[in-house]
Amino acid sequence: MPAIASHNSIMAVKSENAGEVARSNGGSTPQKRRLRSDAAAVENLSPISTPMKLKSPRRCVSSSPNSGANGIEMEIKEKLMSARKSPVKKKLCDSFKSKPNWNPQDVEQMSAVREALHVSTAPSTIVCREDEQKKVLEFCKKNLEEEKAGSLYVCGCPGTGKSLSMEKVQHYLVDWAKKAGLQQPEVFSINCTSLTNTSEIFSKILLQLQPRKKLNGSTSPLQHLQNLYSQKLHSSGMKMMLIIADELDYLITRDRAVLHDLFMLTTFPFSRFILIGIANAIDLADRFLPRLQSMNCKPLVVTFRAYSKDQIIRILQERLMELPYIVFQPHALELCARKVAAASGDMRKALSVCRSAIEILEAEMRESVSKMNSASAEQGLFDQQAASAFEFFNSQVRVDHMAVALSNTFKSPVVDTIKSLPQHQQILLCSAVKFFRGGKKDMTVGELNKSYMNICKTSLIPPVGTLEFFSMCRVLHDQGILKVGQSRDDKLKRVTLKADESDITFALQGVRFFRNCLQ
């Protein structure tokens, strides 16, 4: 008995020492050692052996035998600190957890979901484009304060939020001018695809600037604008004017005169224009406005990059937050974001895929309900519990629905054909896609061969000969992927893409080599 008592006392001293060491190390002791020391202290303190209550590992680590309440307080503080670090993420998670499932058979709910995911529905807040909006807004603020003209070019892939962001910047600028006590600018937004001819944009600007002005037959609207901003007497007292020209590449003509003259209006000594041009081509200013660069009047360029997987998920969640119920399973949204980001990063494509997945769920629910109704009519009974469980499980868009929607959106005979092509023909298509991303609509076979040779050289792949390259172009033309024009010289034949760029990217993005080439 004395031996046992001494042994217990030694173990108690060891456990106390272990607890002190753990407290002095600030929690650096492994979790298992601390749990054993806590359990030993509880055994020594309690004279009656009672069954131990199970605790979560987090509570066991944060609590101690001397101060249990302090451990809970520390845990609450840690949760509050983590919530402050990521308020948007916590808000999104909480909103999805607290919401009930939706009913796809409810017409009003279905209509609300489709409207929330429609491209034409502008979200209340535009996320993932804060930096780009800030650059454009600061540029406009500076020019408005100094009453100075200037030009800015917004470029990026389709579906990256360019037009939507410029609409928000326009409202931000007008509100800021009102609060700052400055004269609010005239705002003129135009989509260049709506013009009957390219030079009509100058008459539209003049009509916005001077609605009652009647022109003489000898003076064109462009000449009138140039005369207006060449002399201080004419331009004094006029408001600053913000012009937002979307789809700017439609103004590109053979002589490039209209596009050049439009940007030149911001260089006149008494000009009052702040011009924002929007288009997809990244190097439009370098290729079509070289004279502005030589005059040191090149517009400021703001690039909107393709959306990443995380950005697409966040934008979809922001749209779905407005709804009072859960529509998609989180893994389904993640699958959609991954595939769209890998293919193009086009947010409009992601919204289209989500709407397609909802239609697939709706059709599945309709078919399942009709089967259950027919089965209940035959058997003369209806299991309400099974029906409610079925409805709960099937009321959300699942991963299988999203996979079918993605397959319907991206998979096509062209995709299958591209996947089955030989490697060098796939490299040729990669070089064509990279070349056309610069904004060009066609190229010569010689230029395409040069781009192909560059990819082979950087990848250490032996290229094919010139004659074989011409033969590959003819094969792709026969399969309807490329269109090769007519010319006596093979190198001067014009080449255009007949297949959609997103189909080519989707077909090749599964191979790391082609994925790196297309980035």
Side-chain angles (χ1 to χ4, degrees):
M1 292 297 291
I4 294 172
S6 62
H7 176 72
N8 290 338
S9 62
I10 291 170
M11 292 300 294
V13 170
K14 283 184 178 180
S15 64
E16 290 176 3
N17 292 336
E20 290 175 2
V21 171
R23 287 189 293 272
S24 63
N25 289 339
S28 62
T29 308
Q31 184 175 337
K32 289 184 178 180
R33 295 290 299 274
R34 298 190 64 179
L35 287 173
R36 286 199 199 102
S37 64
D38 290 346
V42 171
E43 287 178 1
N44 292 332
L45 287 173
S46 61
I48 303 172
S49 60
T50 57
M52 184 184 295
K53 293 183 180 180
L54 295 176
K55 294 183 179 182
S56 65
R58 179 177 292 184
R59 184 165 293 183
C60 293
V61 171
S62 62
S63 61
S64 65
N66 295 329
S67 58
N70 292 336
I72 297 172
E73 290 177 1
M74 290 297 294
E75 185 179 349
I76 293 172
K77 287 181 179 179
E78 288 176 3
K79 287 182 179 179
L80 288 174
M81 290 300 294
S82 63
R84 288 172 187 167
K85 289 179 183 177
S86 57
V88 176
K89 187 175 181 180
K90 185 176 185 301
K91 184 180 178 183
L92 288 172
C93 294
D94 290 346
S95 64
F96 276 97
K97 286 179 182 178
S98 60
K99 291 178 181 179
N101 286 356
W102 73 311
N103 181 13
Q105 297 176 335
D106 190 322
V107 178
E108 292 183 0
Q109 291 187 16
M110 178 62 74
S111 176
V113 171
R114 284 176 173 166
E115 184 178 356
L117 295 173
H118 202 275
V119 180
S120 62
T121 303
S124 55
T125 56
I126 300 176
V127 295
C128 305
R129 286 293 178 240
E130 292 83 0
D131 294 339
E132 292 84 353
Q133 291 180 28
K134 184 178 179 181
K135 288 180 184 178
V136 178
L137 186 60
E138 291 299 325
F139 169 82
C140 295
K141 281 182 179 180
K142 181 181 177 183
N143 287 6
L144 198 61
E145 283 180 327
E146 299 175 358
E147 295 188 352
K148 177 183 175 183
S151 59
L152 183 142
Y153 176 59
V154 175
C155 59
C157 299
T160 51
K162 302 184 296 295
S163 303
L164 194 60
S165 295
M166 293 308 103
E167 289 180 12
K168 290 294 181 182
V169 167
Q170 165 191 331
H171 296 305
Y172 292 153
L173 183 65
V174 172
D175 292 341
W176 170 82
K178 188 186 298 183
K179 292 177 182 177
L182 299 175
Q183 191 178 30
Q184 297 180 32
E186 288 279 351
V187 179
F188 176 56
S189 299
I190 185 170
N191 191 309
C192 297
T193 59
S194 64
L195 300 172
T196 54
N197 58 75
T198 55
S199 59
E200 188 185 1
I201 189 170
F202 300 115
S203 59
K204 296 274 187 184
I205 293 172
L206 187 60
L207 184 65
Q208 180 75 18
L209 193 65
Q210 296 179 340
R212 299 180 181 178
K213 182 72 177 180
K214 293 184 178 180
L215 296 178
N216 297 326
S218 59
T219 307
S220 66
L222 174 61
Q223 291 173 338
H224 187 83
L225 289 171
Q226 290 171 343
N227 296 334
L228 191 66
Y229 293 123
S230 297
Q231 301 177 16
K232 185 176 182 180
L233 180 64
H234 293 162
S235 61
S236 61
M238 294 178 61
K239 285 184 177 183
M240 293 291 292
M241 187 174 188
L242 175 65
I243 302 174
I244 301 176
D246 202 354
E247 305 291 351
L248 192 70
D249 46 355
Y250 275 82
L251 298 181
I252 297 174
T253 54
R254 288 190 175 182
D255 57 359
R256 306 167 187 174
V258 174
L259 191 65
H260 183 268
D261 291 336
L262 179 63
F263 277 89
M264 281 296 294
L265 286 175
T266 63
T267 64
F268 280 79
F270 304 105
S271 177
R272 313 282 288 178
F273 279 168
I274 302 174
L275 175 63
I276 298 178
I278 308 171
N280 298 332
I282 295 175
D283 57 346
L284 182 142
D286 295 328
R287 290 189 293 113
F288 298 107
L289 301 171
R291 287 175 57 190
L292 290 182
Q293 190 171 3
S294 63
M295 295 168 60
N296 200 22
C297 300
K298 181 182 175 182
L300 177 68
V301 178
V302 178
T303 304
F304 281 60
R305 300 191 179 277
Y307 285 117
S308 66
K309 182 259 296 183
D310 294 334
Q311 289 175 330
I312 292 175
I313 290 177
R314 188 181 173 194
I315 294 170
L316 289 174
Q317 288 176 332
E318 285 287 340
R319 283 179 173 260
L320 295 170
M321 273 181 61
E322 305 294 332
L323 303 172
Y325 31 77
I326 302 175
V327 181
F328 292 86
Q329 288 183 353
H331 292 297
L333 287 181
E334 184 177 356
L335 176 64
C336 173
R338 283 184 184 278
K339 291 294 184 181
V340 173
S344 60
D346 188 341
M347 193 62 217
R348 294 176 298 187
K349 186 76 74 175
L351 293 172
S352 175
V353 170
C354 288
R355 291 197 306 273
S356 177
I358 288 171
E359 292 173 359
I360 293 169
L361 171 65
E362 183 184 16
E364 181 188 86
M365 289 283 289
R366 195 183 304 116
E367 182 181 357
S368 300
V369 169
S370 64
K371 286 182 179 180
M372 291 178 67
N373 290 337
S374 61
S376 64
E378 291 176 1
Q379 297 175 4
L381 54 90
F382 188 78
D383 192 347
Q384 293 291 341
Q385 186 176 0
S388 61
F390 172 81
E391 183 179 353
F392 176 80
F393 179 74
N394 290 276
S395 60
Q396 292 184 25
V397 176
R398 303 189 305 273
V399 173
D400 55 326
H401 300 137
M402 191 64 72
V404 174
L406 286 166
S407 179
N408 294 339
T409 302
F410 288 103
K411 194 171 182 179
S412 65
V414 176
V415 173
D416 294 334
T417 302
I418 294 170
K419 285 183 177 180
S420 62
L421 290 174
Q423 183 188 34
H424 281 277
Q425 292 184 24
Q426 292 175 337
I427 296 174
L428 189 153
L429 288 179
C430 268
S431 60
V433 168
K434 289 188 69 174
F435 194 91
F436 288 125
R437 279 179 180 172
K440 282 193 173 183
K441 296 180 180 179
D442 61 357
M443 63 195 297
T444 63
V445 174
E447 291 172 330
L448 181 59
N449 189 20
K450 185 178 179 181
S451 178
Y452 161 81
M453 296 284 286
N454 289 336
I455 291 180
C456 290
K457 185 177 179 180
T458 55
S459 307
L460 302 178
I461 297 175
V464 300
T466 306
L467 294 177
E468 190 174 351
F469 182 83
F470 294 155
S471 176
M472 288 196 305
C473 290
R474 284 194 295 270
V475 170
L476 293 174
H477 171 80
D478 294 338
Q479 291 181 335
I481 300 173
L482 289 181
K483 182 181 179 182
V484 182
Q486 299 292 328
S487 178
R488 292 182 178 179
D489 190 348
D490 287 337
K491 290 185 178 180
L492 298 180
K493 290 181 178 179
R494 309 301 297 182
V495 180
T496 56
L497 272 178
K498 288 189 71 178
D500 193 25
E501 180 185 330
S502 61
D503 286 339
I504 298 174
T505 307
F506 183 76
L508 300 178
Q509 56 94 18
V511 182
R512 182 179 296 178
F513 167 72
F514 294 116
R515 188 163 60 246
N516 294 336
C517 289
L518 292 170
Q519 284 178 354

